[in-house]
Amino acid sequence: MAAADPMTIRITGLTAEHAAEVLAIYQLGIEERNATFETAAPRWEAFDAAKLPDHRHVAVDHDGRVLGWVAATKVSDRRAYAGVVEHSVYVHPAARGRGAGLALLNALIVSTEAAGIWTIQSGIFPENTASLALHQRAGFRVIGTRERVGRHHGVWRDVVLIERRSPRIT
Ligand SMILES: CC(C)(COP(=O)(O)OP(=O)(O)OC[C@H]1O[C@@H](n2cnc3c(N)ncnc32)[C@H](O)[C@@H]1OP(=O)(O)O)[C@@H](O)C(=O)NCCC(=O)NCCS
């Protein structure tokens, strides 16, 4: 992938037309082994069914190529948690460090706040310093660290829980 000019990043809705690129970027992130417990990207049908339609966005360059994506899922069917979602954000390795991740998180914050969603949460491996820094920059706070919460390729991993509570939804 050619380097992207930061000025050409555009955020738009993540739809089926982006499926192949989105899942390829997901797979590249998975293969780095510091993004998620998942070991393979899902099929589009499963991804599409899980991600909230109004809270999935892609960053594209001037040619419409996907640089990265963000998407959220419901965390619970309980009424008290109706405004709480969990998100994932992935940027193509060749497009990192140019503001796409931050633009995607900001788009998610805007779309969720507009829908009355008050908390966005996620879990990050402590080794994933880029993601921890990105989320801190976007206004997320660290809740704490879950110790050896799951096995990843046979190794117990810690997970740092993070959240952003919207100040606008009171
Ligand atoms: C984490 C990730 C999404 C960041 O995306 P990105 O487009 O490179 O991030 P941005 O360019 O928008 O960076 C925004 C801010 O995040 C921080 N940041 C991003 N990458 C960083 C790095 N490698 N080291 C330190 N800070 C970093 C910086 O504060 C940066 O702001 P600055 O450039 O003004 O200093 C990207 O590295 C990625 O896709 N990683 C693999 C998948 C993954 O781990 N996803 C998160 C799962 S929890």
Side-chain angles (χ1 to χ4, degrees):
M1 172 178 287
D5 182 320
M7 302 310 292
T8 66
I9 292 172
R10 185 168 56 86
I11 304 293
T12 187
L14 190 173
T15 65
E17 70 174 295
H18 306 116
E21 290 169 284
V22 162
L23 295 179
I25 291 168
Y26 197 178
Q27 183 63 32
L28 288 169
I30 287 170
E31 286 169 8
E32 290 174 35
R33 297 195 174 196
N34 265 337
T36 172
F37 280 109
E38 300 303 324
T39 52
R43 295 181 60 80
W44 169 252
E45 292 71 23
F47 182 97
D48 187 39
K51 307 300 187 188
L52 294 167
D54 294 339
H55 309 298
R56 48 167 90 169
H57 313 283
V58 285
V60 297
D61 68 9
H62 57 278
D63 294 324
R65 281 179 305 188
V66 177
L67 305 174
W69 59 269
V70 67
T73 55
K74 284 173 68 168
V75 300
S76 170
D77 285 328
R78 294 175 64 190
R79 207 156 58 95
Y81 295 110
V84 182
V85 297
E86 182 155 344
H87 78 292
S88 303
V89 57
Y90 286 75
V91 173
H92 191 289
R96 292 184 191 158
R98 297 186 177 88
L102 192 57
L104 287 162
L105 286 184
N106 284 335
L108 180 67
I109 289 166
V110 169
S111 68
T112 51
E113 285 186 337
I117 290 167
W118 53 82
T119 293
I120 306 171
Q121 68 181 40
S122 195
I124 303 178
F125 290 135
E127 298 81 5
N128 194 347
T129 51
S131 184
L132 286 168
L134 166 67
H135 285 89
Q136 190 172 25
R137 184 80 194 282
F140 286 72
R141 76 177 182 99
V142 170
I143 302 167
T145 303
R146 306 188 73 187
E147 296 179 354
R148 299 182 296 280
V149 68
R151 271 208 188 90
H152 185 235
H153 297 286
V155 177
W156 289 106
R157 301 286 300 259
D158 295 353
V159 168
V160 180
L161 298 182
I162 57 151
E163 70 175 5
R164 180 187 184 273
R165 174 59 170 90
S166 170
R168 295 184 49 194
I169 297 166
T170 55

